[in-house]
Amino acid sequence: EEIKESASQTRDVLKQHFNDLKGTLAKLLDERLVTLLQEVDTIEQETIKPLDDCQKLIEHGVNTAEDLVQEGELAIRGGIGEQNEKLWSFTKKASHIQLDSLPEVPLLVDVPCLSAQLDDSILNIVKDHIFKHGTVASRPPVQIEELIEKPGGIIVRWCKVDDDFTAQDYRLQFRKCTSNHFEDVYVGSETEFIVLHIDPNVDYQFRVCARGDGRQEWSPWSVPQIGHSTLVPHEWTAGFEGYSLSSRRNIALRNDAESSGVLYSSAPTYFCGQTLTFRVETVGQPDRRDSIGVCAEKQNGYDSLQRDQAVCISTNGAVFVNGKEMTNQLPAVTSGSTVTFDVEAVTLGSTNNNEGGNFKLRVTISSNNREVVFDWLLDQSCGSLYFGCSFFYPGWKVLVF
């Protein structure tokens, strides 16, 4: 069924494309013909007008001379008195007419002689391009390899399946399965992209194509893959003074309001074993008390996540565990930085040590291609965690997914 359906679609695409091409070529040839014919008309009108004027002047001079000769003949034939009067009138008129004053007639070699210059080699050039135009591929050079669900998004990974194909760019499209039209979501050289603004428990179709090195046209599309996310999208708490949220509440912007405190997630939607990602869209003035991280529970009254029962990274790269700064640090957070948290449960019972806390979690924080790994001790077990952020100066914008 796939072979027959794809073959039928390919035939339709080829027929439609070449019909459009023929129509476009015919239109372009007609337009060029009209342009050349207009040039002929213009040259003809501009070069023949002075010759027409010259001819009119000559004909007028000849007619005047003929009239004068006839008048002279009549004067000679008349009587003596009448003859003298007519001759006097004839002489007077002849003295005022310059019969030898005629316009200069151009030489024949100076008169334009129109012709069309047509290069028949264009047929060979066009024929060569037409014979090389279009290809039929038995399979696309790139296919979708994996779809990974994220809260409010899906990570799409693809790979080349044609070793002889050198890809310069990739193009990813998606649509809801109930929609008729795909839309572009990514064009670039990466082989992985996270598609955001995905509604939970809704099926989406994804497809990808590639552009060969040094070429303009795109390859055939990959076989569409269907994916969905069952995970609840991460959202910031709405209505918190000091922060403005996007329509989907996954982007928080620190505004100019005079307020301090931690902006928490609306619910504990981060579960152990998942990857929580923060992407810093824009930055403001950094402060050592700034924080981005996760916590076991919301605790109002704190101006930062640098407290007990929380782990976080400051905008200067310092890492805090239960309010204590670690020796290891990460690079400072800048515009475009991505900070990820991976939390795994290590023990779910008493640790019997002097470090405090009864439950141990293994935390990995990654940022700017570096990571720190440490154990996080909690007083009580928790299947899910809150996330939060705090900034003391406006301008910081953070996307969570």
Side-chain angles (χ1 to χ4, degrees), residues 341-358:
F341 286 77
D342 289 279
V343 180
E344 296 180 0
V346 178
T347 58
L348 295 175
S350 175
T351 58
N352 296 321
N353 56 33
N354 297 322
E355 296 177 349
N358 296 318

Side-chain angles (χ1 to χ4, degrees), residues 296 309-310 322 356-361 376-380 382 385:
Q309 302 297 290
N322 287 337
N358 296 318
F359 300 93
K360 182 188 292 186
L361 301 176
W376 178 25
L377 300 178
L378 295 176
D379 291 337
Q380 58 184 6
C382 55
L385 300 169

Side-chain angles (χ1 to χ4, degrees), residues 142 160 162 164-170 189 209-214:
V142 60
K160 287 196 312 173
D162 185 353
D164 297 329
F165 183 83
T166 302
Q168 175 179 312
D169 291 309
Y170 298 98
S189 59
C209 65
R211 180 162 51 197
D213 190 20

